[in-house]
Amino acid sequence: MISTDDLMWFLDEALDGMVDIVEGLGDDLANRRPALEGANSAYAILTHCLGVMEFWGGYVVAGRPSHRDRDAEFVATGAVAELVCRTRDARDQLGLDLEGMAPDAPPRNPLPGEDGQLPIARTQGGAMVHVFEELAQHHGQLEITRDLLLGPAG
């Protein structure tokens, strides 16, 4: 099993990379969608990642109530500085949420239906692997989003 500290190191790598990208883009470009059908802005992608952390780490693993509005994550806009502060706060909260994690135990708030039978929802550890999966995947998406926005066609 991976320790919580080691897991947080991997999550921090992805989060720090995403923060660096949105800060490098600045308010205008971080809120702009690349010229691709269905593309999301860097701001929206990072906002979505905060929702992933809150739901899967807070609700599924820690058992906290969830107030997530997933649809709103993908249309979110705002100041990069505010998003960076929210990211730091969400990271700190996730660290607290994981203090009582029992990787082999069932989620404190199980998911209903078919999702509850998937490895991501059967155990608290599975839920956190899913958080890592999402952050790593979206870190890469943000790298591509940045490159599209800063490239010759951006």
Side-chain angles (χ1 to χ4, degrees):
M1 278 291 164
I2 189 170
S3 72
T4 302
D5 287 343
D6 287 352
L7 174 61
M8 289 305 301
W9 183 88
F10 286 101
L11 297 175
D12 284 342
E13 284 288 300
L15 285 171
D16 291 345
M18 288 188 278
V19 164
D20 288 347
I21 290 169
V22 297
E23 285 182 323
L25 289 172
D27 289 340
D28 180 48
L29 287 177
N31 285 284
R32 189 178 301 171
R33 294 171 182 261
L36 297 171
E37 186 175 332
N40 292 302
S41 71
Y43 191 99
I45 295 166
L46 183 50
T47 298
H48 169 65
C49 289
L50 302 185
V52 166
M53 292 163 53
E54 186 267 328
F55 181 79
W56 290 92
Y59 179 75
V60 175
V61 173
R64 291 188 299 106
S66 176
H67 307 287
R68 184 180 187 194
D69 182 349
R70 190 176 186 280
D71 291 338
E73 295 165 10
F74 295 103
V75 295
T77 60
V80 166
E82 179 267 334
L83 180 59
V84 169
C85 287
R86 286 194 306 121
T87 302
R88 299 296 180 223
D89 290 345
R91 187 270 178 228
D92 291 344
Q93 180 61 58
L94 185 62
L96 294 173
D97 289 339
L98 297 186
E99 286 179 1
M101 181 176 74
D104 292 332
R108 288 192 171 88
N109 281 315
L111 298 178
E114 293 177 11
D115 286 345
Q117 302 308 308
L118 297 173
I120 63 173
R122 283 195 299 249
T123 65
Q124 294 174 33
M128 288 312 302
V129 169
H130 180 57
V131 172
F132 171 71
E133 170 190 39
E134 287 286 312
L135 296 187
Q137 161 182 277
H138 289 306
H139 180 205
Q141 181 184 11
L142 270 177
E143 291 174 327
I144 292 169
T145 299
R146 175 201 56 211
D147 293 349
L148 288 169
L149 292 169
L150 296 177

